[in-house]
Amino acid sequence: MARYRGTLRGCRGEASRLGHSSSGLTAVAASWQGAVRVELYACGDRDFARVSLTPHHGAGVERLLFDGPVSGALQSIKRCEEGR
């Protein structure tokens, strides 16, 4: 069974993709001015998210916006260091 599910909606309707704890799930939404990348990944039994700005076709910047638990419980939770 999948651990993650991602959806996206555009002019041609909605699409979805699944991810497992070994594969994670990555989505990129881009414009002519840059892109936003969202990654979900597992660290043991906890789920983490990494959200960053990233260049697209030469435009935009690379900047980490968030890297932490999906639950938002930032107090007393250490960042996952396993394979990341």
Side-chain angles (χ1 to χ4, degrees):
M1 182 162 64
R3 185 169 183 157
Y4 308 113
R5 180 174 186 264
T7 61
L8 97 102
R9 183 176 302 129
C11 63
R12 292 171 59 185
E14 187 172 292
S16 66
R17 291 292 181 265
L18 302 176
H20 301 278
S21 47
S22 60
S23 67
L25 182 76
T26 300
V28 177
S31 78
W32 291 112
Q33 297 174 355
V36 178
R37 176 187 303 269
V38 177
E39 302 169 79
L40 296 178
Y41 62 96
C43 184
D45 62 346
R46 297 183 309 189
D47 294 324
F48 285 78
R50 182 178 295 120
V51 180
S52 57
L53 299 175
T54 188
H56 177 70
H57 287 288
V61 298
E62 189 73 44
R63 182 179 305 138
L64 181 64
L65 301 176
F66 177 80
D67 191 358
V70 172
S71 68
L74 294 176
Q75 58 275 24
S76 75
I77 299 237
K78 297 178 184 174
R79 268 181 70 199
C80 179
E81 299 299 332
E82 296 174 17
R84 294 284 170 180

